[in-house]
Amino acid sequence: MSELVLVIDFGGQYNQLIARRVRENHVYTEIVSYTKAMDAIREKKPVGLILTGGPNSVYLPDSATIDPAIFSLGIPVLGICYGAQLMSHLLGGHVSHAPEREYGKTEVLVDKDSELFHDVSRNTICWMSHNDFIDTPAPGFTITAHTENCPVAAAEDASRGLYLVQFHPEVLHTQEGSKMLSNFVYRVCGCKGDWKMDSFVETSVRSLREKIGAGRVLCALSGGVDSSVAAVMLAKAVGKQLTCVFVDHGLLRKDEGDEVEAVFGPNGAYDLNFVRVNAQQRFYDKLAGVEEPEKKRKIIGEEFIRVFEEEAKKIGAVDFLVQGTIYPDVVESGLGGESAVIKSHHNVGGLPDCVDFKEIVEPLRDLFKDEVRAAGRELGLPETLVSRQPFPGPGLAVRIIGEVTPEKVKMVQEADAIFREEVAKAGAEKGLGQYFAALTNMRSVGVMGDERTYDYAVALRAVLTTDFMTAESAQIPWEVLSVVTSRIVNEVPHVNRVLYDCTGKPPATIEFE
Ligand code: XMP
């Protein structure tokens, strides 16, 4: 078992980043809600604790808090922002409300030598985001850094292993933040850095095996990175006790269904039960005549569940349902909210209500996308699967504007395959968040071989994004676009025009519907 640093979540915006930065230092982390902190400490025996930021003020009546006994367990603790204020408050210091919020990049002046600031510059740029501040540290604490507006930017009681910082070392704007977190885990907690993705895979496989025992497991496999990695991990753990159901809804990219079957099917490398359901016609029938985007999404989501449910019934009672949930999908304490519905997202994750099972298994719920890809490589999944770009659950239906027909699906599949092939050939895919072809429902006049045509326009889209919440249109080299255009109009029947989408998100979205 690897050494573990437990991140105790008070609802801050950057909590997932803390966990990630620590893992980048080869120390394993898990995030646990503050309400379950003491139980988790007893169970998981961490070598260090990090208290995260959070939206509250320590003085509000129902603000998040913790048993102060946590500070006397002999386990080093680092409090960040709200975590720092809470530590000071609970141990007898004083926190005040600042007249003005301190927000943004701020110069922090390191006043004293500290293990936390080993090899860190005396004047270092850090990211601040707080209203309250510590005006008097708790007894036993020494102030180790300040800013112009904040008397206690960092403090510590090294004899008890207690450290606090008002700023956020986990965000990249804190220029030496990664070094500070590394100092905490190595110099304060004494970690050896024995965690790598292979240890994660190994440990997960072992604990899945223990948890599942002789039980039966069902996995809805979409062929996307997350569900594929989760399925392979389960296959490694319990082999034939796992059944993967892959629903081909006829809205996949060109050859995608066969690619998924080649990896997971009877001729693939894994010892599992694989069921491919060719439900294409069923989806096309339901979508016939439907033009409205939200209606299309709802029909596909609903039909997907029906097909899956029928297959699950054939398999019989299952004990566990696998979901490829990853960290960004997890809405932790304090997050979430009432944001407007722009699109009803559908992916194969949303299945639990319809299947008779005892428990959900989510082996990737602590990982980020790139960590999931690393786990996939570790598990020996082919690079084509591991590095694939995100693909929406409703598939090509949201890349065909208006009514979906099998003919239109074929057109968009062919155009998209050409676009991807040429971008890859030119080595132009580096840095692209997503790139694909869509079919507009616009027809226009063209001329081909002396004949008039009245055919469809394909739109090409490529975006730069890391979080998929905002995006810029990518500048694909003109030479590549012109080869793609020429191939599409020559090779894809009924397309006589190719357009490039130069819009960012906002105001557009990445997908067309
Ligand atoms: P939009 O179009 O909303 O897309 O800018 C943002 C990201 O989400 C993906 N997307 C989906 N993923 N189910 C999914 O699993 C969906 O229904 C869905 N709709 C959009 C989209 O491909 C992009 O990466």
Side-chain angles (χ1 to χ4, degrees):
M1 184 66 190
S2 291
E3 54 206 4
L4 166 76
V5 167
L6 204 59
V7 175
I8 300 175
D9 178 7
F10 290 94
Q13 295 169 56
Y14 309 124
N15 300 349
Q16 30 183 308
L17 278 178
I18 301 175
R20 193 208 161 99
R21 297 272 169 264
V22 174
R23 286 203 291 268
E24 280 170 359
N25 280 296
H26 305 293
V27 172
Y28 186 57
T29 50
E30 281 182 25
I31 301 181
V32 64
S33 159
Y34 70 96
T35 55
K36 302 196 182 115
M38 277 312 205
D39 291 343
I41 292 169
R42 261 188 295 277
E43 186 197 328
K44 296 179 186 285
K45 311 216 170 352
V47 297
L49 303 171
I50 299 180
L51 314 186
T52 76
N56 293 332
S57 163
V58 290
Y59 292 116
L60 287 177
D62 43 1
S63 58
T65 188
I66 203 162
D67 184 344
I70 202 165
F71 302 113
S72 339
L73 298 172
I75 306 171
V77 186
L78 171 65
I80 295 177
C81 196
Y82 179 79
Q85 293 162 9
L86 187 67
M87 187 192 289
S88 304
H89 173 66
L90 293 174
L91 293 174
H94 192 262
V95 175
S96 288
H97 196 64
E100 267 179 55
R101 187 160 183 230
E102 193 179 25
Y103 183 79
K105 287 185 188 173
T106 309
E107 186 175 42
V108 168
L109 305 165
V110 175
D111 303 312
K112 294 235 160 63
D113 286 339
S114 159
E115 291 295 356
L116 206 60
F117 297 130
H118 180 80
D119 251 356
V120 169
S121 325
R122 287 268 149 173
N123 297 9
T124 183
I125 298 297
C126 298
W127 183 257
M128 287 284 191
S129 172
H130 64 114
N131 262 327
D132 287 0
F133 70 103
I134 303 161
D135 59 20
T136 316
F141 276 70
T142 308
I143 298 172
T144 51
H146 72 280
T147 73
E148 199 185 329
N149 296 320
C150 180
V152 186
E156 66 191 42
D157 179 348
S159 66
R160 286 192 285 166
L162 304 179
Y163 293 77
L164 59 87
V165 288
Q166 180 55 68
F167 53 86
H168 288 271
E170 69 278 20
V171 304
L172 287 177
H173 300 302
T174 297
Q175 288 168 359
E176 296 176 277
S178 199
K179 204 181 282 172
M180 296 172 200
L181 288 171
S182 162
N183 284 338
F184 177 68
V185 296
Y186 284 105
R187 304 184 70 87
V188 177
C189 303
C191 291
K192 295 185 288 298
D194 59 359
W195 185 78
K196 288 204 297 279
M197 198 41 87
D198 57 353
S199 2
F200 171 79
V201 168
E202 212 176 279
T203 315
S204 304
V205 166
R206 207 178 319 122
S207 68
L208 285 168
R209 208 171 275 149
E210 276 167 26
K211 182 187 184 100
I212 290 162
R216 291 173 73 181
V217 188
L218 188 64
C219 174
L221 186 66
S222 69
V225 182
D226 306 340
S227 68
S228 298
V229 173
V232 174
M233 200 174 259
L234 262 299
K236 265 234 151 101
V238 297
K240 279 267 157 69
Q241 289 162 248
L242 171 68
T243 302
C244 289
V245 177
F246 167 55
V247 178
D248 185 343
H249 53 16
L251 302 161
L252 300 169
R253 287 165 287 198
K254 188 181 178 187
D255 300 331
E256 195 167 9
D258 295 341
E259 282 166 20
V260 173
E261 185 166 353
V263 176
F264 295 99
N267 300 322
Y270 304 102
D271 183 27
L272 49 76
N273 298 305
F274 175 81
V275 180
R276 174 174 176 172
V277 191
N278 289 316
Q280 295 91 331
Q281 197 55 50
R282 202 170 149 164
F283 281 84
Y284 297 153
D285 290 346
K286 288 270 171 184
L287 288 167
V290 183
E291 292 186 357
E292 213 273 307
E294 274 301 279
K295 217 162 166 195
K296 282 161 66 178
R297 283 176 168 271
K298 294 253 160 66
I299 290 172
I300 296 165
E302 166 88 27
E303 200 56 16
F304 191 93
I305 289 174
R306 293 289 88 81
V307 175
F308 186 81
E309 197 170 32
E310 286 166 25
E311 292 306 313
K313 274 201 192 112
K314 287 185 206 157
I315 292 160
V318 285
D319 303 288
F320 299 90
L321 181 74
V322 183
Q323 295 203 334
T325 319
I326 69 173
Y327 196 83
D329 304 333
V330 177
V331 181
E332 277 283 340
S333 55
L335 300 179
E338 295 295 308
S339 50
V341 175
I342 308 295
K343 302 177 180 185
S344 352
H345 274 217
H346 150 73
N347 60 35
V348 292
L351 294 167
D353 291 347
C354 62
V355 186
D356 185 16
F357 66 95
K358 284 192 210 129
E359 208 179 321
I360 299 178
V361 181
E362 295 174 317
L364 310 175
R365 80 190 317 275
D366 293 322
L367 302 188
F368 283 81
K369 193 77 166 189
D370 57 337
E371 294 177 309
V372 173
R373 293 193 206 276
R377 289 190 184 100
E378 199 54 50
L379 284 158
L381 268 165
E383 193 56 34
T384 46
L385 261 188
V386 166
S387 59
R388 53 178 35 177
Q389 27 169 343
F391 187 64
L396 298 177
V398 294
R399 295 181 182 173
I400 294 172
I401 301 176
E403 187 188 3
V404 175
T405 64
E407 296 72 34
K408 285 184 176 175
V409 170
K410 182 94 180 113
M411 282 156 78
V412 80
Q413 278 179 334
E414 293 300 328
D416 180 68
I418 292 170
F419 187 33
R420 284 188 289 135
E421 196 181 308
E422 292 301 330
V423 166
K425 216 191 274 172
E429 76 273 40
K430 210 160 177 279
L432 297 181
Q434 224 166 336
Y435 57 104
F436 55 85
L439 189 68
T440 71
N441 56 358
M442 181 191 90
R443 290 171 79 195
S444 65
V445 174
V447 55
M448 218 176 209
D450 296 334
E451 294 274 350
R452 176 187 190 270
T453 58
Y454 185 58
D455 277 330
Y456 286 97
V458 157
L460 303 177
R461 182 143 177 74
V463 293
L464 306 173
T465 179
T466 45
D467 58 10
F468 297 90
M469 305 291 287
T470 58
E472 280 173 63
S473 172
Q475 295 188 20
I476 301 278
W478 191 250
E479 310 80 72
V480 180
L481 290 179
S482 77
V483 174
V484 174
T485 303
S486 149
R487 281 196 59 195
I488 289 177
V489 290
N490 279 297
E491 295 175 35
V492 186
H494 302 297
V495 176
N496 66 356
R497 211 173 272 271
V498 176
L499 313 170
Y500 190 72
D501 184 348
C502 304
T503 334
K505 173 183 177 176
T509 53
I510 294 175
E511 303 291 348
F512 282 69
E513 288 193 340

